[in-house]
Amino acid sequence: MSYNIKEIASMAGVSKSTASRVISGKGYASQEVRDRVLGVVEQLQYKPNAVARAMVAKRTNNIGVIVFREKQPIVSHPLYGKLIDSILLAAERRGYSVFLKTDQEMSVRSTDYMLEQRVDGLILISRLQKNVIDHVKKFNVPYLMVNGTTDDPDVIHLVSNDEVGGGR
């Protein structure tokens, strides 16, 4: 059976807001109250509802990563694989989950998928067609481009310096 925060609070003999503070770890609650609430949480094997939490917080803690590349391999590519590993590691350290999508057609379908998931931000990897950038900009979601360039001054892009990296 799935329990909600109101039922957890009732079983622990506390208010809904107190139970919420204890479960989220934000705000004060005495040790006795914490122990009661966490005891009920453990007993019921309660897991907070991510969708409900996202609605209240107005953020999902999800990042969308799209690798635009026409040729295979994509995820096992020496550069893109390392980028994805680094993104996953950094996101995990900061409490974010990552949606990863590859797109060989460089279309807007992948960005639409990510926007439907209500990601908090996008990392767009590789060179992009202008229509993709223009499409993303319409939705006011923070994004950056990795390993690609554009003439658009609003786009934050991270690129390697091949001349310095290659020793000139």
Side-chain angles (χ1 to χ4, degrees):
M1 182 174 173
S2 179
Y3 294 90
N4 63 38
I5 193 81
K6 187 175 178 182
E7 294 163 323
I8 300 292
S10 175
M11 293 174 79
V14 299
S15 70
K16 185 175 143 185
S17 62
T18 299
S20 177
R21 280 196 316 273
V22 170
I23 291 168
S24 71
K26 297 177 182 169
Y28 175 77
S30 71
Q31 191 58 50
E32 179 216 338
V33 167
R34 293 183 73 72
D35 291 344
R36 278 201 329 250
V37 172
L38 295 176
V40 171
V41 165
E42 186 176 330
Q43 174 190 345
L44 299 177
Q45 298 178 342
Y46 171 76
K47 301 287 183 243
N49 183 319
V51 174
R53 194 174 338 139
M55 287 173 63
V56 170
K58 293 189 166 93
R59 45 183 314 126
T60 61
N61 280 12
N62 294 325
I63 297 171
V65 177
I66 308 172
V67 182
F68 295 90
R69 181 167 164 82
E70 291 181 71
K71 298 178 185 169
Q72 296 286 349
I74 297 176
V75 179
S76 63
H77 184 276
L79 173 63
Y80 299 124
K82 288 178 182 176
L83 285 172
I84 291 165
D85 285 345
S86 296
I87 291 167
L88 290 170
L89 187 60
E92 184 177 343
R93 286 182 185 151
R94 289 163 179 81
Y96 281 84
S97 296
V98 175
F99 285 105
L100 174 64
K101 192 136 178 59
T102 60
D103 189 333
Q104 290 180 276
E105 299 171 11
M106 296 191 182
S107 68
V108 297
R109 284 195 317 268
S110 294
T111 55
D112 282 343
Y113 170 80
M114 293 297 181
L115 295 167
E116 288 169 10
Q117 302 308 311
R118 302 295 189 250
V119 295
D120 294 332
L122 286 169
I123 299 174
L124 309 170
I125 301 176
S126 194
R127 290 171 180 80
L128 306 180
Q129 295 174 351
K130 186 169 176 10
N131 68 318
V132 173
I133 294 168
D134 291 343
H135 186 69
V136 170
K137 286 171 84 170
K138 286 190 247 176
F139 293 94
N140 244 2
V141 173
Y143 68 97
L144 66 94
M145 184 187 312
V146 177
N147 200 44
T149 58
T150 177
D151 294 332
D152 189 330
D154 295 332
V155 177
I156 297 170
H157 51 279
L158 305 173
V159 294
S160 60
N161 187 329
D162 293 338
E163 284 184 21
V164 172
R168 286 192 214 183

